[in-house]
Amino acid sequence: MPGTMSSVFFFVVVFVISRIISVIGQVRPWSALLPTHLLDLDIASRLHFDPLTTIAVSTDFGNMVKPAPAAAVLFPSSVDDIAALIKTSYLSANPFPIAARGHGHSIHGQATAPKGVVINMHSLGDGVCKKKARINVSSSSTSGVFFADVGGEQLWIDVLEATLEHGLTPRSWTDYLYLTVGGTLSNGGISGQVHRHGPQIANVYEMDVVTAGKGEVVTCSRELNSDLFHAALGGLGQFGVITRARIALERAPQRARWIRLLYDDFSAFTRDQERLISMEEGDKGFDYLEGSLISDESLLNNWRSSFFSEADGARIRSLTTTHGLIYCLELSKYYDKTTAHTLDQEISSALAGLSFIPGLVFSNDVTYVEFLNRVHRGELKLRDQGLWDVPHPWLNLFVPKSRIHDFDAGVFRRILRQNSSTGPILIYPMKKTKWDAQMSTAVPDEEFFYSIGLLRSATDAWEYLENQNKEILRFCEKSCIGFKQYLPHYETRADWEKHFGPKWEKFLAMKTKYDPEAILSPGQKIFTSL
């Protein structure tokens, strides 16, 4: 037996070494891809060229695309390191591509830089002291305006913990808190608070952005360098690397009443959602609102279903047997000791007149942190099952209210009629007035539009789900549904121009001004073809 084990170990070692040699053989020497004078710079010691490091940043959460590896990875110790790298590329005879990578939560390789340099943003905040220094909370405001200056590399969960120490919290969130500040602000940053506070990009006072024009650190706000401020927010990393953001804060609540209501009628479901997000803040509406689809399979394979007890799950499955598909309205209302005495009355008043299925109201009472960090619990469950690091063929769309019933009939009830994949399908409305039209993110041209999130995972043939996504997009195009992709992915310049619509000319002008050599974020494939 010992001899057999030694032989197995020997062959495993030989196999691993052969794979490394094979990979190295496919990667051109870095010197053939990057200017040699990089090694003369102060950042040289923080540039890593070994294949294991570069290959590790050449995939992402989507786990579907495998572009050519980066030539190097920069582990910056300061913002100046990032500026030096970008300036070197800009001044080179052959500028090389650069991508800032936070948590790598993109789906189609948007955070990669084939044959270029990936900036490991987390390196800016490595270490407890360094991380704390990169989150600075302003908690003594006579005007009632509170904010936190936060490094672009910081995870939102760390921002939450740091601000709560001062009794404060950001107003707008994403569902998943283990994403970087710079990453979500480059896209939009949405969750169930959007109807009240707008997306995360609407809750930023100021930023520091390292532009690719000259490798300069530019401070911008609505009043200072406002064109860069508006362009970078939702700008998909095309104009600079966000290294600091001043985030709006408010007083933090202590707890959340977490409620789910079930519907078997799509019209009633959407009508009630729109009614609830139309409540003025003075009407004491809900702080969070999202919706989702539930089928028998999705209830079993959905990490969000941990909300329901085993007995609740049995009741819901009986409904899906009858109706095939039901809709779930998810709400939350925050409170603390000073507001707890009116909570039940306010919730009852807000729910009065809604058309959910009688008797199917499910409620949990949790801490504010437990509610905001709810997805992480699902993540840990999936990691234990080996189901987290699998392909994620996600599709996120904004669909105008006027066409949401067409979308339900054509997508939910036809294309997805046999959805057995793991992961939730979200649907909830938001208001265009909560979005700043000057910012880069493209949204439909209607006051109400719906966020649709097909957040599915594939344990085997992910190509099937990706093809299904393409079928959904073809249906929307053919039906002239004026949708927009959120976290967009296109292959041609024409598609990008159509996506941005009237914003395209401004987007192009900002690219020319702040990244004239098209150095940044090549993985988006807006100005580069990989």
Side-chain angles (χ1 to χ4, degrees), residues 239-250:
F239 313 109
V241 177
I242 298 172
T243 57
R244 177 187 67 91
R246 179 166 290 180
I247 307 297
L249 304 178
E250 65 180 4

Side-chain angles (χ1 to χ4, degrees), residues 8 36 43 65 87 120 131 137 217 220 265 278 288 294 308 325 369 402 414 436 497 524 530:
V8 171
T36 56
I43 62 172
V65 299
K87 186 174 183 179
N120 185 320
K131 182 179 293 184
V137 181
V217 183
C220 56
D265 180 84
S278 296
Y288 163 96
I294 296 181
F308 299 110
L325 183 67
V369 174
S402 64
R414 184 175 65 82
D436 188 334
E497 291 181 14
Q524 295 284 359
L530 302 180

Side-chain angles (χ1 to χ4, degrees), residues 184-188 201 230-237 439-442 500 507:
T184 64
L185 295 184
S186 294
N187 288 282
I201 57 174
H230 290 115
L233 289 168
L236 306 177
M439 294 176 182
S440 292
T441 304
F500 284 109
F507 196 88

Side-chain angles (χ1 to χ4, degrees), residues 450-514:
Y450 279 78
S451 172
I452 309 291
L454 278 65
L455 311 183
R456 303 182 293 175
S457 304
T459 55
D460 42 39
W462 62 265
E463 292 87 352
Y464 169 76
L465 294 178
E466 188 73 344
N467 288 333
Q468 199 172 64
N469 290 341
K470 292 177 181 178
E471 184 182 357
I472 292 170
L473 294 174
R474 286 194 299 269
F475 165 78
C476 291
E477 291 281 1
K478 185 177 180 180
S479 303
C480 298
I481 294 176
F483 72 97
K484 297 292 183 182
Q485 283 194 41
Y486 178 65
L487 310 177
H489 168 64
Y490 299 103
E491 297 290 345
T492 69
R493 173 71 72 89
D495 285 335
W496 280 110
E497 291 181 14
K498 182 178 180 181
H499 170 77
F500 284 109
K503 292 186 176 185
W504 172 252
E505 291 302 323
K506 179 182 177 182
F507 196 88
L508 182 60
M510 292 298 97
K511 185 68 171 180
T512 302
K513 180 177 181 179
Y514 289 108

Side-chain angles (χ1 to χ4, degrees), residues 198-458:
Q200 289 183 315
I201 57 174
N203 291 273
V204 179
Y205 293 135
E206 183 181 282
M207 294 190 298
D208 287 342
V209 180
V210 183
T211 69
K214 297 180 181 178
E216 296 177 332
V217 183
V218 180
T219 299
C220 56
S221 66
R222 287 179 173 82
E223 294 78 31
L224 178 67
N225 299 309
S226 61
D227 61 343
L228 178 61
F229 179 79
H230 290 115
L233 289 168
L236 306 177
Q238 292 300 306
F239 313 109
V241 177
I242 298 172
T243 57
R244 177 187 67 91
R246 179 166 290 180
I247 307 297
L249 304 178
E250 65 180 4
R251 296 290 186 187
Q254 296 172 332
R255 300 191 65 81
R257 181 69 57 81
W258 191 5
I259 301 168
R260 290 192 180 181
L261 315 172
L262 299 187
Y263 292 74
D264 57 12
D265 180 84
F266 187 71
S267 294
F269 172 66
T270 54
R271 183 173 60 249
D272 283 358
Q273 286 195 86
E274 292 163 15
R275 171 184 171 180
L276 290 173
I277 72 167
S278 296
M279 287 183 172
E280 296 296 330
E281 293 185 28
D283 290 339
K284 302 186 183 301
F286 289 95
D287 298 289
Y288 163 96
L289 181 150
E290 286 190 1
S292 60
L293 273 62
I294 296 181
S295 65
D296 185 21
E297 289 295 332
S298 69
L299 185 65
L300 293 172
N301 297 327
N302 187 345
W303 40 260
R304 294 167 66 95
S305 63
S306 59
F307 177 95
F308 299 110
S309 68
E310 187 173 335
D312 293 338
R315 295 175 65 193
I316 296 170
R317 275 189 288 272
S318 68
L319 281 174
T320 62
T321 300
T322 303
H323 300 283
L325 183 67
I326 59 176
Y327 308 93
C328 178
L329 176 54
E330 185 176 3
L331 305 165
S332 183
K333 190 167 183 63
Y334 308 149
Y335 69 98
D336 54 29
K337 293 179 180 178
T338 63
T339 56
H341 66 287
T342 61
L343 180 68
D344 291 336
Q345 180 181 348
E346 290 173 5
I347 290 176
S348 296
S349 176
L351 296 184
L354 298 187
S355 302
F356 54 89
I357 301 173
L360 292 180
V361 178
F362 305 92
S363 179
N364 284 335
D365 202 278
V366 296
T367 67
Y368 178 64
V369 174
E370 286 174 330
F371 174 72
L372 290 182
N373 203 25
R374 61 199 178 279
V375 175
H376 186 54
R377 179 180 176 184
E379 175 192 353
L380 295 177
K381 178 180 177 181
L382 291 179
R383 285 190 182 278
D384 287 342
Q385 299 172 348
L387 297 176
W388 184 256
D389 296 318
V390 299
H392 296 92
W394 286 11
L395 178 65
N396 293 269
L397 303 175
F398 291 154
V399 175
K401 169 190 171 181
S402 64
R403 304 303 303 278
I404 195 62
H405 285 81
D406 297 322
F407 192 91
D408 175 57
V411 177
F412 294 154
R413 295 191 172 275
R414 184 175 65 82
I415 298 176
L416 299 179
R417 63 185 178 275
Q418 292 182 330
N419 173 50
S420 60
S421 59
T422 301
I425 297 177
L426 306 183
I427 168 173
Y428 58 96
M430 50 189 71
K431 295 184 286 187
K432 188 175 182 179
T433 50
K434 293 295 184 178
W435 294 71
D436 188 334
Q438 297 183 79
M439 294 176 182
S440 292
T441 304
V443 301
D445 192 21
E446 289 188 12
E447 172 54 17
F448 285 88
F449 60 91
Y450 279 78
S451 172
I452 309 291
L454 278 65
L455 311 183
R456 303 182 293 175
S457 304

Side-chain angles (χ1 to χ4, degrees), residues 37 85-95 212-214 517 519:
H37 63 270
L85 177 73
I86 293 176
K87 186 174 183 179
T88 300
S89 178
Y90 174 71
L91 295 176
S92 296
N94 296 301
K214 297 180 181 178
E517 299 294 338
I519 292 168

